[in-house]
Amino acid sequence: LIGGGMANTFLAARGVDVGKSLCEHDLTGTAEEILDAAETAGCIVHLPYDVVVAKEFAANPPSLRTCNVHEVAADEMILDVGPQAVEALADVLKTCRTLVWNGPLGAFETQPFDLATVALARSAAALTAEGALTSVAGGGDTVAALAHAGVADQFSYISTAGGAFLEWMEGKPLPGVEAKVNFATEKARVSARPDGAAAADGKEPTFLYPNTTTLVEIVLNRLQNDKVLHLLTHDLEKPALPPAVPSTTPTGRAALLD
């Protein structure tokens, strides 16, 4: 399901004239590749077919109107997804078991361009309350958009990690997580030595935050139980950290999870 400014790039890639809308025309080639790959994989990409447009970006502008995506004038901007598209997207959610939401559907900070975001967010929240949908959200302005819709506490999980949440979903390494895992691995290695045995190089590792093992164990335990979506959750208990111990090693200091 693609909305917001990103939808304009995908629409442009499909030959739609998006007027003065926010659009990354230099990435239409990439958008085409994504659409082709999705088609090959049998994945349906849902784009809006009706949109809310205006000639100026302001609250309730006189030029405000709703139209088909093929009817956007050269001097108009797409500022929100239209009501028919929102209804269709809500129907799509009813067929899903999991939703990963990143970003609003329109310029939600300015009325009435918040209507699509609010409507779809409330539909997702209702399905979540029914137990029919696992709803995960994070990154960009998502948290603010869901709070604006009044459903920030009704999703299964909301990440406050912003872009880090998206990079983790992509499978990219996160320095904070890697530091914790490396810390746990090294401490386990040291603990496994026979009593009194020294390190092979004669040097002991420097633990800057000696009491962070509890946090590492929580993270690893959740990973082992396939509760990976809770890795960055705000309800993760964080032990109180003592002041950092000065380090004489070149590494300087360890990264911490937010």
Side-chain angles (χ1 to χ4, degrees):
L1 312 181
I2 303 180
M6 185 181 294
N8 299 334
T9 302
F10 279 82
L11 289 171
R14 284 298 193 226
V16 175
D17 186 351
V18 295
K20 297 194 304 179
S21 306
L22 176 67
C23 179
E24 295 177 292
H25 291 283
D26 58 323
L27 292 179
T28 53
T30 301
E32 288 177 352
E33 292 175 3
I34 294 172
L35 292 171
D36 290 342
E39 184 176 356
T40 300
C43 174
I44 300 175
V45 176
H46 297 272
L47 293 170
Y49 47 80
D50 70 319
V51 290
V52 179
V53 301
K55 295 182 179 180
E56 57 280 327
F57 182 32
N60 301 299
S63 60
L64 178 71
R65 72 185 185 102
T66 300
C67 66
N68 184 279
V69 292
H70 295 285
E71 299 173 348
V72 178
D75 59 349
E76 290 180 320
M77 297 177 285
I78 298 174
L79 296 169
D80 200 10
V81 172
Q84 294 181 33
V86 172
E87 185 176 350
L89 294 177
D91 287 338
V92 171
L93 288 185
K94 295 176 183 177
T95 69
C96 301
R97 295 177 59 187
T98 303
L99 166 68
V100 178
W101 184 319
N102 167 237
L105 295 179
F108 76 96
E109 302 93 339
T110 304
Q111 295 183 345
F113 309 118
D114 60 337
L115 295 180
T117 298
V118 170
L120 196 64
R122 290 177 178 173
S123 294
L127 290 170
T128 302
E130 295 170 7
L133 183 70
T134 298
S135 50
V136 180
D141 296 323
T142 310
V143 177
L146 296 184
H148 175 75
V151 297
D153 60 343
Q154 297 173 42
F155 270 48
S156 305
Y157 162 71
I158 290 184
S159 169
T160 58
F165 164 76
L166 300 178
E167 291 192 4
W168 176 75
M169 292 285 290
E170 290 180 54
K172 293 181 179 179
L174 298 182
V177 176
E178 285 194 325
K180 294 299 180 183
V181 174
N182 292 340
F183 178 92
T185 302
E186 180 64 12
K187 191 158 189 178
R189 184 182 67 79
V190 173
S191 300
R193 293 187 204 148
D195 291 343
D201 58 5
K203 299 178 180 179
E204 294 296 332
T206 301
F207 297 113
L208 300 182
Y209 296 96
N211 292 339
T212 57
T213 307
T214 303
L215 179 56
V216 175
E217 290 173 350
I218 293 173
V219 171
L220 294 181
N221 181 62
R222 292 193 175 190
L223 282 172
Q224 291 168 359
N225 287 286
D226 291 329
K227 296 182 180 179
V228 293
L229 290 179
H230 291 277
L231 180 61
L232 299 174
T233 186
H234 55 271
D235 67 349
L236 182 62
E237 293 183 7
K238 294 186 288 188
L241 297 179
V245 178
S247 172
T248 58
T249 64
T251 54
R253 52 185 171 283
L256 297 176
L257 283 174
D258 184 9

